[in-house]
Amino acid sequence: MDNPSISGMNNQSSPSSSQTNPPSKSQEPTTPSSLNYYHPSPSRTIYSDRFIPCRSASNFALFDISPPPPPPPSDASRGEDNSSSSAAYTALLRTALFGSDLGFVVPPGTPDKKSFSVNTSPASHNIFRFKSETRQSLHSLSPLGFDDHSPGVSHSPVKAPRKVPRSPYKVLDAPALQDDFYLNLVDWSSHNVLAVGLGNCVYLWNACSSKVTKLCDLGIDDSVCSVGWAQRGTSLAVGTSNGKVQIWDASRCKRVRTMEGHRLRVGALAWSSSMLSSGSRDKSILQRDPRAQQDFVSKLNGHKSEVCGLKWSYDNRELASGGNDNRLFVWNQHSTQPVLKYCEHTAAVKAIAWSPHLHGLLASGGGTADRCIRFWNTTTNSHLSCMDTGSQVCNLVWSKNVNELVSTHGYSQNQIIVWRYPTMSKLATLTGHTYRVLYLAISPDGQTIVTGAGDETLRFWNVFPSPKSQNTESEIGASSFGRTHIR
């Protein structure tokens, strides 16, 4: 870009020239020396290494600038007026290119000359308006937001944090609900029926009608150690202290079959689409196909102590198991040895949950000596993060509607915590149980959880929003508040 000040500084006469006298007063520049404008006498010979165009040919209409006034007849005044118009052009051009916040204005000229300053006519406002509109268009492309003062831009209001009720909406008395960390005595079916193991009996509670049904009684020589609903239908698996697994048709309250294979109690059960896995105190996991004649089709060995946690992934391809040996293993459909081994926990691993939102994302929780929730990517076989909860982690369950999860805890705070993933910020801490919160299940609509403890109560909490609205109240148990008995 041509700059008059630079051209003035580069115009030099030959040292041998006779034109060495200083210019006359009428030839002095009309702008202050700080701008370095210098206009020699027209009669001097000028040498320059650059081509400087004549400003009289400039297209001032391009910037909506009024052309300079016609020069007076004298040659000296013509040169002075050209200098003034050049200074004004430079000021406006700098303002248009670099903004008005540079504080650049043309200093006033001599009192008897009318020099251009920054034009405040409506034409000059077009330049500033164009600059402002350019900024708005740039903000409109930014994912970080918009200018708060931009006209015609609508801003969505900031959503208030979701409020989780701090009290259960329903409490059931559950006499003889055992205070045993290694058992799994509560599960919620896809047909909205809750199964609870109490002593040597299994009871069913219909969440729609609040009707309680006694499903079975194992007798005085046996007791219930685990219950697990099939993913679809009304089949319920019951693990017993004698090492057997019974399959019941809950719709008819009829036992379908009894499967053996374990030598000690069966404290963990997990269904895939067609398989039933059972974990036992004898350290083994048996894969069972209820359609097959044999009691189990394969045996998984790897744990060195009781198996207390079992969960199939949502795609039914991976089985996660946790044991009292502080180990977390991942098995596939065809392996009899674990394909992944995680040994970071320092206490028993009962709490296991697969994310329904991200394939291969697995959460696990450790017991009293560990107190941590850890996250794993089984696709890349990597440990993602760890959160110290400060209490024994008894259970984990992931929301199906939002990217949040719930953990239940034992020693020493007996609390229930709702977490937002992946930040692991606490949305709510729920209290009420006076014993370790050892049992946890989630409703089929994904909004309600039920927790059980050695205080012999089952408590129902609305913790997650519905898939469509965060304000929709769960229909499960909504019509029946208060405290009742499950048997």
Side-chain angles (χ1 to χ4, degrees):
M1 182 185 300
D2 296 328
N3 192 325
S5 63
I6 297 177
S7 65
M9 294 175 66
N10 290 336
N11 291 341
Q12 299 178 2
S13 59
S14 172
S16 62
S17 174
S18 60
Q19 302 289 339
T20 58
N21 294 330
S24 61
K25 183 177 181 180
S26 62
Q27 295 170 341
E28 293 178 356
T30 59
T31 56
S33 59
S34 61
L35 294 179
N36 295 322
Y37 291 114
Y38 181 72
H39 298 276
S41 170
S43 63
R44 297 173 59 184
T45 302
I46 299 175
Y47 300 91
S48 175
D49 60 346
R50 300 173 62 189
F51 172 73
I52 308 300
C54 178
R55 296 301 179 191
S56 61
S58 299
N59 187 3
F60 290 96
L62 183 62
F63 295 97
D64 290 331
I65 302 174
S66 301
S74 67
D75 293 339
S77 356
R78 183 183 296 112
E80 294 167 357
D81 286 340
N82 286 339
S83 172
S84 301
S85 62
S86 298
Y89 177 83
T90 301
L92 290 172
L93 193 57
R94 285 193 185 187
T95 304
L97 293 177
F98 305 111
S100 60
D101 54 348
L102 297 179
F104 177 83
V105 293
V106 178
T110 55
D112 57 337
K113 302 296 180 183
K114 295 182 180 180
S115 301
F116 278 92
S117 62
V118 176
N119 195 347
T120 58
S121 63
S124 67
H125 290 297
N126 289 332
I127 298 176
F128 299 113
R129 190 180 304 115
F130 175 77
K131 177 180 177 181
S132 175
E133 290 170 357
T134 302
R135 285 184 177 177
Q136 293 174 16
S137 62
L138 290 177
H139 279 294
S140 66
L141 297 175
S142 170
L144 301 179
F146 301 94
D147 185 2
D148 291 338
H149 303 287
S150 300
V153 178
S154 61
H155 300 278
S156 58
V158 178
K159 293 183 179 180
R162 181 168 56 84
K163 293 183 179 180
V164 179
R166 295 302 195 269
S167 300
Y169 71 83
K170 188 175 185 63
V171 178
L172 293 178
D173 284 326
L177 185 61
Q178 297 188 57
D179 183 30
D180 192 327
F181 178 82
Y182 302 100
L183 305 185
N184 293 273
L185 298 176
V186 177
D187 198 19
W188 208 326
S189 78
S190 59
H191 289 269
N192 211 8
V193 177
L194 191 69
V196 184
L198 301 178
N200 53 6
C201 299
V202 175
Y203 290 86
L204 305 180
W205 179 76
N206 190 309
C208 297
S209 63
S210 296
K211 180 182 178 181
V212 177
T213 303
K214 183 178 179 180
L215 178 66
C216 65
D217 188 339
L218 302 181
I220 193 172
D221 296 329
D222 207 351
S223 63
V224 180
C225 296
S226 56
V227 294
W229 287 102
Q231 293 181 356
R232 295 179 179 86
T234 59
S235 295
L236 177 70
V238 179
T240 73
S241 60
N242 289 337
K244 298 179 181 180
V245 175
Q246 299 181 359
I247 306 296
W248 287 77
D249 183 351
S251 62
R252 298 182 298 162
C253 291
K254 182 179 180 181
R255 185 175 62 187
V256 177
R257 66 178 298 183
T258 299
M259 295 179 285
E260 300 183 354
H262 289 297
R263 295 179 290 105
L264 300 173
R265 69 179 184 182
V266 180
L269 295 167
W271 288 84
S272 69
S273 56
S274 59
M275 302 289 293
L276 170 63
S277 303
S278 59
S280 171
R281 181 178 271 184
D282 64 10
K283 311 173 188 177
S284 68
I285 301 171
L286 297 182
Q287 302 283 55
R288 309 174 186 270
D289 187 346
R291 301 166 299 182
Q293 185 177 0
Q294 61 268 37
D295 286 338
F296 59 92
V297 296
S298 63
K299 186 175 185 179
L300 311 183
N301 294 307
H303 285 285
K304 304 301 181 183
S305 187
E306 181 173 8
V307 179
C308 52
L310 279 179
K311 285 291 170 62
W312 278 96
S313 61
Y314 281 86
D315 59 5
N316 298 311
R317 294 182 179 181
E318 293 179 305
L319 173 67
S321 65
N324 198 30
D325 54 1
N326 310 342
R327 299 293 188 261
L328 173 68
F329 293 158
V330 178
W331 320 71
N332 61 28
Q333 294 172 312
H334 310 290
S335 66
T336 57
Q337 294 294 322
V339 295
L340 299 175
K341 298 181 179 181
Y342 300 122
C343 306
E344 281 76 1
H345 285 292
T346 58
V349 181
K350 177 192 178 185
I352 300 174
W354 291 93
S355 170
H357 310 290
L358 185 61
H359 174 72
L361 178 57
L362 176 64
S364 61
T368 306
D370 184 82
R371 305 181 306 274
C372 292
I373 300 175
R374 296 180 182 270
F375 295 91
W376 318 86
N377 187 333
T378 61
T379 303
T380 61
N381 190 20
S382 58
H383 182 206
L384 300 178
S385 61
C386 175
M387 168 63 68
D388 190 340
T389 67
S391 298
Q392 175 190 41
V393 184
C394 301
N395 289 281
L396 288 169
V397 68
W398 223 292
S399 169
K400 296 180 288 186
N401 305 332
V402 289
N403 202 11
E404 298 170 4
L405 67 158
V406 162
S407 60
T408 68
H409 300 269
Y411 302 124
S412 56
Q413 301 180 41
N414 306 328
Q415 76 272 41
I416 303 160
I417 303 178
V418 184
W419 307 87
R420 176 180 285 117
Y421 187 81
T423 61
M424 290 304 288
S425 56
K426 292 183 181 180
L427 292 176
T429 299
L430 311 177
T431 57
H433 284 291
T434 57
Y435 279 64
R436 297 179 295 174
V437 189
L438 297 178
Y439 310 111
L440 172 67
I442 189 169
S443 63
D445 67 359
Q447 296 179 240
T448 303
I449 61 169
V450 58
T451 57
D455 57 12
E456 299 184 343
T457 64
L458 296 173
R459 298 172 185 265
F460 295 79
W461 317 77
N462 283 322
V463 295
F464 294 132
S466 67
K468 298 181 180 179
S469 171
Q470 295 188 5
N471 297 323
T472 303
E473 190 173 289
S474 173
E475 297 179 358
I476 300 172
S479 60
S480 55
F481 293 84
R483 185 160 179 159
T484 58
H485 293 270
I486 199 170
R487 71 173 187 182

